[in-house]
Amino acid sequence: AQTVTQSQPEMSVQEAETVTLSCTYDTSESDYYLFWYKQPPSRQMILVIRQEAYKQQNATENRFSVNFQKAAKSFSLKISDSQLGDAAMYFCAYRSPFQGAQKLVFGQGTRLTINP
Amino acid sequence: EPEVTQTPSHQVTQMGQEVILRCVPISNHLYFYWYRQILGQKVEFLVSFYNNEISEKSEIFDDQFSVERPDGSNFTLKIRSTKLEDSAMYFCASSLWGLAGLYEQYFGPGTRLTVT
């Protein structure tokens, strides 16, 4: 079974600075999908960024980018120019590529605080 | 932008009672999911549902749980005889049908279930 681990329960960063959230995972599958979800205090999870394991290029979405290290099974999220609205719980998630396996496997989450 | 909605936002019930949590997925989505998050723990997958049948379920989803799509818009999770350990936030999600991982899962805001 796949597992996802986020070793940083809490992180804080000054507004406009850069912060990196860590995520490692364990799987025997060679192809898969990885996600970062953001859960603001209103508690609705929103997809931030997605990475397909077969793609070597790291995904980017505006101020958000990932560092995907397949051999190390590491998938970190970098937030550049942090803004107050980035304060949230961030979850790393794994998904198998198979048609019948739709579930997301989540990490424990990292609570990110932005200091003004 | 279309959203997944869930009702009620908070449900308090006594141990042993039946409870039904309701979700309205995004209208053109065909895959539906339930997840739960016990306070301070990971978000855990419960069940996925496609074409009026369960596609995948976790070990948590035992005989006390059932899901139903009673009409063209609602998706429900029923817990027949609630236990104290069922207290959690329950999230509904939906996605388009297609290649696994290709389509984003959109989450609702959650229903906080408190079993006393």
Side-chain angles (χ1 to χ4, degrees):
Chain A
Q2 297 84 18
T3 58
V4 177
T5 302
Q6 294 176 249
S7 58
Q8 306 155 315
E10 295 183 356
M11 292 281 285
S12 64
V13 65
Q14 290 295 124
E15 194 176 2
E17 302 272 298
T18 295
V19 64
T20 299
L21 308 184
S22 300
C23 172
T24 59
Y25 58 93
D26 189 30
T27 183
S28 58
E29 295 172 329
S30 58
D31 195 15
Y32 44 85
Y33 300 88
L34 296 167
F35 306 85
W36 279 97
Y37 276 86
K38 169 185 177 181
Q39 189 182 36
S42 65
R43 303 193 70 87
Q44 192 149 10
M45 269 192 285
I46 306 163
L47 179 66
V48 174
I49 198 165
R50 143 177 51 211
Q51 175 80 41
E52 291 91 343
Y54 64 86
K55 291 186 178 178
Q56 292 186 337
Q57 187 171 7
N58 289 323
T60 62
E61 287 287 342
N62 301 313
R63 298 183 294 106
F64 298 87
S65 62
V66 299
N67 184 4
F68 173 50
Q69 301 288 327
K70 191 173 184 180
K73 296 180 180 174
S74 169
F75 181 61
S76 59
L77 174 70
K78 185 170 85 171
I79 306 173
S80 304
D81 186 25
S82 300
Q83 300 175 0
L84 294 177
D86 296 332
M89 185 73 94
Y90 286 82
F91 292 98
C92 178
Y94 173 103
R95 185 166 171 180
S96 172
F98 300 113
Q99 190 69 22
Q102 300 288 328
K103 69 179 182 185
L104 292 169
V105 178
F106 285 91
Q108 302 92 323
T110 297
R111 183 174 303 282
L112 178 64
T113 302
I114 312 295
N115 300 313
Chain B
E1 188 172 331
E3 289 185 337
V4 176
T5 59
Q6 291 184 243
T7 54
S9 57
H10 190 192
Q11 174 95 44
V12 180
T13 189
Q14 288 192 326
M15 196 167 53
Q17 295 294 305
E18 176 183 285
V19 65
I20 297 176
L21 309 182
R22 292 184 166 79
C23 168
V24 178
I26 294 172
S27 62
N28 62 336
H29 286 186
L30 297 176
Y31 250 109
F32 314 113
Y33 315 82
W34 284 102
Y35 293 83
R36 80 173 185 188
Q37 184 181 26
I38 295 172
L39 190 63
Q41 297 187 22
K42 290 186 180 187
V43 176
E44 303 172 289
F45 169 79
L46 292 178
V47 66
S48 61
F49 190 86
Y50 170 73
N51 198 26
N52 282 320
E53 59 183 30
I54 290 173
S55 174
E56 187 181 8
K57 62 181 181 179
S58 72
E59 292 176 353
I60 303 167
F61 195 87
D62 61 21
D63 292 345
Q64 292 298 311
F65 292 89
S66 63
V67 288
E68 191 179 28
R69 187 152 165 83
D71 53 42
S73 59
N74 290 283
F75 179 53
T76 62
L77 174 69
K78 183 194 290 187
I79 309 174
R80 287 191 184 82
S81 179
T82 50
K83 307 183 185 80
L84 292 175
E85 54 264 37
D86 293 328
S87 294
M89 182 74 92
Y90 288 81
F91 294 102
C92 175
S94 69
S95 69
L96 290 166
W97 180 87
L99 294 174
L102 183 62
Y103 291 110
E104 175 183 349
Q105 290 184 26
Y106 289 80
F107 284 80
T111 293
R112 178 164 298 286
L113 177 65
T114 302
V115 182
T116 62

